[in-house]
Amino acid sequence: MTAVSYPAAPHPATRYWPLVLAATAMLMITMGVRQSMGLFIAPIGRSTGLTVAQISFALAIGQFVWGVVQPVFGAIADQRGPGRVLVAGGVLLAAGLVLAPTFASEWGLLLTLGVLSAAGAGAGSFSILIGATAQHMPAEKRSMAAGVINAGGSFGQFLFAPLVQAVISAAGWAAAMWTLAVSALATLPLAWPLRRRDAEHSVVASAVATSAAPGIGLREQLRIAVRDRSYWLLHLGFFTCGVHIAFLVTHLPGEIALCGLPASVSAVSLALIGLFNVGGSLGAGWLGQRFRMKYLLAAMYASRALLIAIYLVSPPTPLTFFLFSAGLGLTWLATVPPTAGLVGKLFGPRYLGTLFGLTLLSHQLGGFFGAWVGGLVLERFGDYSWMWYADMTLALIAAAANLPIRESVPVPARAQPQVQPT
């Protein structure tokens, strides 16, 4: 079977780049909050007497819930527009952060950080934001736009990690949670320009999607997707990515503490990951317009295995962690633009929020195990050695899983119509 795609009608950049900037700012906040949670493990433990495994389990549930809600919210946004989804997400995120210090027990953290705040962050995350903007953009611009949005999430980590650590040190972890809650409310006005799908001027209305026929329903599109081997390979690679990201964002501060280094090294390390991923995300978006995205993903996953191997044989000094974090940052969330781009290539942008949301669910299922098992390994063996070895193995599996994915060579828009193999 083949699918023919045609160029979209000219679409002025003044219509879609304001949407991209709003989505970028929103992701900066939601991801900045989420990626700072690992800094709370030690202070919450000292304050409440909870173990690392108990706190890690609450954050692991949060990883899973963040993934579960994305296809659900993505489907709502695809059908009814993203505005209400984004507003509800901002309210839930703020509520979970405000209530966490009040219900600082194992079950309380499960409810506040594991469910409420995670669901709110998921409603304002990649699948909804990238899906909301992709439908307004010409196909040749989507990869770069996804890279810009993704860079916002990374910049949020760069900004929030030092801020959170400073507030924890000065006023305690409860004050830091409330500070993050106030930041979460800033997402509400950002939802306004993204509030609805502009059907009259939408790129979707003027172009034929790659694998989806015009007017195809969501249920039929899902049936097509689940029968596609390439879609499942994307899920496999993204699952292993989730293990890696969640393990590091949750337990890197603990690894640094085991090496006898101060908490400030943890904050700087997390900030460096975010800072370098700004360049990595923009680079991935740019390269995705020129090279096959599956090869970009394979290279990024393989580089993670190499970085971990170098880290394990290096001395545990602040410089080692700073260099390790900078290297990780180049690929940290840079996997998102090419993964979203491949989903768009395979099935078109009409239901990108739903289909990419399901891929993110696989990512966060891996994230659940990365955050939770990391805590179990620490309590069982006294360090994270076995997790590092498992992380290297999974990174190599992810690299291999992306190579057989079906993807055509990028062709300039003026060369279309083009036939894409299926």
Side-chain angles (χ1 to χ4, degrees), residues 19-29 129 145 148-153 194:
L19 303 181
V20 172
L21 294 177
T24 300
M26 182 171 287
L27 191 63
M28 180 186 73
I29 296 171
L129 295 173
V148 172
I149 295 170
N150 196 58
L194 296 161

Side-chain angles (χ1 to χ4, degrees), residues 274-321:
L275 178 63
F276 277 80
N277 194 233
V278 173
S281 296
L282 295 174
W286 182 82
L287 291 171
Q289 298 178 134
R290 291 158 175 81
F291 302 99
R292 293 194 181 190
M293 298 179 193
K294 65 179 184 178
Y295 294 145
L296 297 179
L297 286 170
M300 285 191 279
Y301 291 136
S303 72
R304 292 178 180 180
L306 178 61
L307 281 169
I308 294 171
I310 293 173
Y311 161 70
L312 290 176
V313 298
S314 300
T317 65
L319 180 60
T320 294
F321 283 106

Side-chain angles (χ1 to χ4, degrees), residues 15-344:
R15 290 191 61 86
Y16 54 75
W17 280 110
L19 303 181
V20 172
L21 294 177
T24 300
M26 182 171 287
L27 191 63
M28 180 186 73
I29 296 171
T30 60
M31 290 302 295
V33 170
R34 286 194 70 253
Q35 301 288 55
S36 301
M37 287 294 105
L39 296 171
F40 287 93
I41 292 179
I44 290 176
R46 289 192 297 267
S47 172
T48 64
L50 295 173
T51 67
V52 172
Q54 288 173 319
I55 302 170
S56 296
F57 184 69
L59 297 181
I61 291 295
Q63 294 282 348
F64 182 66
V65 169
W66 185 81
V68 167
V69 301
Q70 293 209 42
V72 177
F73 285 138
I76 296 172
D78 284 341
Q79 297 287 346
R80 301 184 181 180
R84 292 175 183 175
V85 170
L86 296 173
V87 170
V91 173
L92 284 173
L93 178 57
L97 295 168
V98 165
L99 294 173
T102 304
F103 300 96
S105 64
E106 183 177 4
W107 287 103
L109 293 179
L110 281 171
L111 174 63
T112 56
L113 300 183
V115 178
L116 290 178
S117 66
S125 194
F126 299 108
S127 60
I128 290 86
L129 295 173
I130 292 177
T133 55
Q135 298 185 31
H136 296 269
M137 302 191 71
E140 67 274 10
K141 298 293 184 182
R142 289 178 199 142
S143 177
M144 190 65 215
V148 172
I149 295 170
N150 196 58
S154 303
F155 191 67
Q157 183 175 339
F158 169 69
L159 289 179
F160 277 73
L163 171 64
V164 167
Q165 186 58 56
V167 177
I168 290 174
S169 299
W173 72 271
M177 283 286 181
W178 296 329
T179 301
L180 291 179
V182 173
S183 300
L185 293 177
T187 63
L188 302 184
L190 292 170
W192 178 255
L194 296 161
R195 65 192 181 279
R196 64 176 177 268
R197 185 169 59 248
D198 186 354
E200 180 181 358
H201 298 286
S202 172
V203 173
V204 181
S206 61
V208 179
T210 54
S211 293
I216 190 173
L218 175 59
R219 185 173 300 178
E220 178 60 25
Q221 181 63 85
L222 288 172
R223 280 198 290 264
I224 293 172
V226 298
R227 293 196 295 265
D228 193 306
R229 185 186 70 158
S230 293
Y231 188 53
W232 285 110
L233 290 172
L234 276 175
H235 279 253
L236 175 60
F238 228 33
F239 172 88
T240 65
C241 179
V243 174
H244 173 85
I245 295 294
F247 165 61
L248 285 167
V249 78
T250 305
H251 295 288
L252 185 60
E255 172 78 1
I256 291 171
L258 286 176
C259 296
L261 299 174
S264 59
V265 176
S266 300
V268 173
S269 296
L270 290 176
L272 284 172
I273 291 174
L275 178 63
F276 277 80
N277 194 233
V278 173
S281 296
L282 295 174
W286 182 82
L287 291 171
Q289 298 178 134
R290 291 158 175 81
F291 302 99
R292 293 194 181 190
M293 298 179 193
K294 65 179 184 178
Y295 294 145
L296 297 179
L297 286 170
M300 285 191 279
Y301 291 136
S303 72
R304 292 178 180 180
L306 178 61
L307 281 169
I308 294 171
I310 293 173
Y311 161 70
L312 290 176
V313 298
S314 300
T317 65
L319 180 60
T320 294
F321 283 106
F322 296 157
L323 292 176
F324 180 53
S325 298
L328 286 175
L330 293 174
T331 68
W332 183 251
L333 295 174
T335 56
V336 172
T339 302
L342 279 171
V343 175

